[in-house]
Amino acid sequence: MLCQECGKRPASLHFSKIVNGDKSEYHLCEACAREKGELIPGTSGGFSIHNLLSGLLNFEAVEQGKRTVNPESLRCEVCGMTYSQFSKLGRFGCSSCYKYFNNRLDPLFKRVHGSTVHTGKVPLRVGGEIKTKRQIETLKRRLQDSIDHEEFETAAQLRDQIRELERQITEH
């Protein structure tokens, strides 16, 4: 696909812009995107996944800054990397960094992925039982919440659904 602006170079940036509910799609080459000022804020030159991650981490540091957490005070005791070094590089120094920066990573993962728990994908052909087991786990969590909030009618309905699903598993 060619750049919509110049029509000469291949479009390397594809993005959607929504302003006041109106969606516009753009397909631009890097040069035209730079001229229009449509590059990602905070990046110098072009797009990189490390710059994107670094931008998210800096945003997190600003949010955490309200609680006066100093990024330099967070340091991996194994490799010595500080949180601010990690935010600039966009990658860890060692596997222990996950443990030392954990309190900063969970909110970031939740914002980026929508959850802090990886659920993965289940193949359609063989995933029936796995999906049912996951559904039972979800219902059990909802059941516990209902009991905690003393919503016993809802809890009884959830209990019955769980029993039905467990019966289906044992029949197969």
Side-chain angles (χ1 to χ4, degrees):
M1 173 178 272
L2 288 177
C3 173
Q4 288 178 330
E5 192 71 23
C6 68
K8 299 175 186 172
R9 294 177 288 273
S12 58
L13 269 129
H14 308 276
F15 60 94
S16 299
K17 199 177 205 180
I18 301 173
V19 179
N20 296 328
D22 294 327
K23 181 178 177 181
S24 305
E25 291 194 15
Y26 296 93
H27 307 282
L28 304 173
C29 65
E30 251 185 75
C32 291
R34 202 173 280 117
E35 286 173 18
K36 289 182 66 123
E38 297 293 354
L39 290 176
I40 294 173
T43 62
S44 56
F47 172 81
S48 86
I49 195 68
H50 295 298
N51 288 340
L52 177 64
L53 181 59
S54 178
L56 288 169
L57 291 168
N58 286 336
F59 176 76
E60 186 66 30
V62 169
E63 289 290 310
Q64 293 277 339
K66 294 176 185 173
R67 291 183 248 153
T68 64
V69 174
N70 182 4
E72 283 298 323
S73 66
L74 291 173
R75 179 181 296 273
C76 175
E77 292 178 12
V78 176
C79 69
M81 177 175 271
T82 63
Y83 185 79
S84 61
Q85 288 173 325
F86 162 63
S87 67
K88 288 177 187 152
L89 290 174
R91 58 182 164 226
F92 288 130
C94 71
S95 60
S96 297
C97 290
Y98 282 101
K99 180 174 81 174
Y100 291 103
F101 302 139
N102 185 41
N103 62 339
R104 285 281 186 96
L105 298 176
D106 280 347
L108 173 69
F109 291 151
K110 189 162 180 92
R111 192 172 63 246
V112 172
H113 296 292
S115 175
T116 57
V117 178
H118 177 70
T119 56
K121 293 183 180 178
V122 178
L124 292 175
R125 286 178 276 173
V126 294
E129 187 174 327
I130 295 170
K131 286 182 181 181
T132 304
K133 286 181 180 180
R134 284 189 182 169
Q135 188 177 3
I136 290 170
E137 289 173 18
T138 302
L139 289 172
K140 283 182 178 180
R141 283 193 298 271
R142 287 180 51 202
L143 173 65
Q144 188 59 49
D145 287 342
S146 296
I147 292 169
D148 292 345
H149 291 100
E150 297 181 3
E151 299 168 347
F152 299 115
E153 289 177 14
T154 305
Q157 292 172 350
L158 292 169
R159 179 203 60 209
D160 294 341
Q161 288 177 5
I162 292 168
R163 285 183 182 164
E164 177 62 27
L165 291 172
E166 287 173 340
R167 186 187 58 75
Q168 289 175 8
I169 289 175
T170 57
E171 288 178 358
H172 286 95

